[in-house]
Amino acid sequence: MSHRKQLLIGGVANLGNIATGLTIGFSAVALPAMQAAHHEPPVSDEQASWIASLISVSMLLGCILVGPLLDRLGRRVTLIMVNIPSVFGWLIIALASQRHNWFLCQVYVGRLLTGLSSGCTNSPSVVYVSEVLDKDLRGLVVTWSSLGVSFGILLVYILGYFFQQNWRLIAGICTFLSSISIVTARYLLPETPVWLISRGRIRDAEVSMRLIRGVPQKQILPESLQVELETITTQSALQHSSNWRDELAFLKRPEAYKPILIMNAFMFFQQFSGIYVIILYGVTIVQEIGITFDPYIVTVIIGIIRLMMSLVISYASKRFGRRLLCTVSGVGMTFSMGALAALLSLSQDVSHTWLLITALILFIVFCTIGFLPLPYAMIGEVFPLKIRGPACSETMFMGAILWFLVVKLFSSMKNWMGYYNVFAVYTGVIAIGTAVMYLYLPETQGKSLYEIEEAFRDYRKDVRNIELRDKSFTIQDTNI
């Protein structure tokens, strides 16, 4: 079975997340130019906060839509469709008028469309990867959604450095970059066997399995893949034999409500840690907390470090598992954000610049290790097949609500409380979140999807650290 081909397919499935990174990072480099004294029309702080936060509003709709799209249209078609609003959104922003009323209308609509696409993108990529890749590769590739976002943020930060006053050109370049994922998904990705079998297309599912795992059509399908297809067929039959009452009753089962509660809590702690505040307001924060370096260079450095750490985490997650990385991330974020808050409580002078930069960079390093990528990576693993699409949508929906609240309120909070107190609040949230996730976050590395679901179902097992069974090949040893 070709691991190289599976990695290529996983990479293509995650290309749409680059567009998400472009969307997230755009406000950091565009708002300083939009609020410059010579910009026409002028943009106020309130309008700037809407430009930064509106993407999270439309993300809510995207999170609602993506679940039904995944189930009805399939994983592959959904991966294609969710990127179309992003292309139109960037084009509208790039062509924004200089007339005040039209300008705000166009930028707002463009941000809403790109946000809609961002809200739809992560779940399909994670679900696709979780369903098609061998479990030995899944732990590596499920973190690539965060890698794609990191790469997109770095790209837009670099564009911001070279075109500091020309945010329209940056938006035009993003239009082109966002279209790449549509073309590649259209021609390079097969549909997942899981979805095909759920629609009764057994033969197509075998063809897809062969394409993904690199097994020629004339060669006999290996026994392990035959068992995997049979397992998918059995689970799909059980799923379709139930009605909506059975599905609602299923939510009362521990394999359903436990992962939902855990992942929603993880989303809460992630958003209120201030990660996305720093990403979306990067240049402004660097300017206002007293760092004397070129803020655009600082944001590029942060983007490079985040990308490098995303590369590291894709391998570290496979080797060390999710729980250890989450704990290390939380502890490191607590101390670095606490140090940043403490430094800002002192009188600001030039001598603090290096200390502030160090604390800020360490925060980015540690959040990229765990708190930033893991909630998005794990939603495709911990939810059972029966509710995977809706549960992913609900979790992303909750994350988008929290994102909007945190980002929209940040401008008012810093004016009311000051940076020191805002960062102190974030520090407390991170510390509590680290403790909660240490107690309840499951370990999914090296586990088949069946084993993860079974561990939630059986209260006698410790879901935080499931021991793999080293037996002859059985249903538990499949990728499902």
Side-chain angles (χ1 to χ4, degrees), residues 6 25 69 95 97 117 129 160 169 171 174 177 182 191 218 262 267 280 286 326 378-379 388 416 419 421 444:
Q6 291 186 60
L69 288 176
L95 299 176
S97 170
S117 179
V129 167
L169 175 59
C174 291
L177 295 174
I182 299 176
E191 185 53 79
K218 296 182 179 180
I262 291 171
M267 280 290 183
L280 270 71
V286 170
C326 178
M378 294 181 68
I379 59 175
R388 188 169 299 153
W416 172 49
Y419 275 104
N421 289 306
T444 59

Side-chain angles (χ1 to χ4, degrees), residues 98-274:
Q98 291 188 341
R99 297 175 58 186
H100 190 274
N101 291 335
W102 277 108
F103 167 80
L104 287 176
C105 180
Q106 287 176 280
V107 173
Y108 287 167
V109 169
R111 290 291 280 173
L112 285 170
L113 287 174
T114 54
L116 174 65
S117 179
S118 298
C120 292
T121 300
N122 185 79
S123 293
S125 62
V126 173
V127 170
Y128 187 94
V129 167
S130 297
E131 291 184 349
V132 302
L133 299 191
D134 184 80
K135 67 180 182 180
D136 293 333
L137 293 177
R138 196 182 69 235
L140 171 68
V141 181
V142 291
T143 61
W144 285 6
S145 60
S146 178
L147 178 63
V149 174
S150 298
F151 186 62
I153 291 174
L154 175 59
L155 276 179
V156 80
Y157 282 174
I158 292 175
L159 292 172
Y161 173 72
F162 285 106
F163 309 107
Q164 295 184 12
Q165 303 302 319
N166 198 345
W167 55 266
R168 287 182 175 83
L169 175 59
I170 296 174
I173 296 173
C174 291
T175 304
F176 168 74
L177 295 174
S178 297
S179 64
I180 295 176
S181 59
I182 299 176
V183 177
T184 53
R186 168 68 177 80
Y187 292 102
L188 297 179
L189 293 185
E191 185 53 79
T192 72
V194 173
W195 186 82
L196 290 170
I197 288 176
S198 73
R199 292 299 182 269
R201 298 163 59 181
I202 309 300
R203 176 56 185 165
D204 291 339
E206 181 180 336
V207 172
S208 175
M209 179 74 78
R210 290 177 177 273
L211 288 173
I212 295 166
R213 303 298 176 87
V215 180
Q217 296 296 326
K218 296 182 179 180
Q219 180 179 324
I220 297 177
L221 196 67
E223 182 182 357
S224 61
L225 296 186
Q226 291 179 9
V227 173
E228 188 169 326
L229 285 173
E230 291 172 1
T231 303
I232 298 171
T233 303
T234 301
Q235 291 189 337
S236 178
L238 291 173
Q239 180 182 4
H240 286 285
S241 65
S242 60
N243 54 38
W244 65 271
R245 292 186 180 87
D246 295 328
E247 293 178 357
L248 287 177
F250 184 78
L251 293 176
K252 299 179 182 179
R253 300 173 62 172
E255 63 266 34
Y257 72 77
K258 283 184 179 179
I260 289 176
L261 290 175
I262 291 171
M263 297 315 298
N264 277 267
F266 207 171
M267 280 290 183
F268 172 84
F269 293 122
Q270 181 208 64
Q271 296 299 333
F272 278 88
S273 68

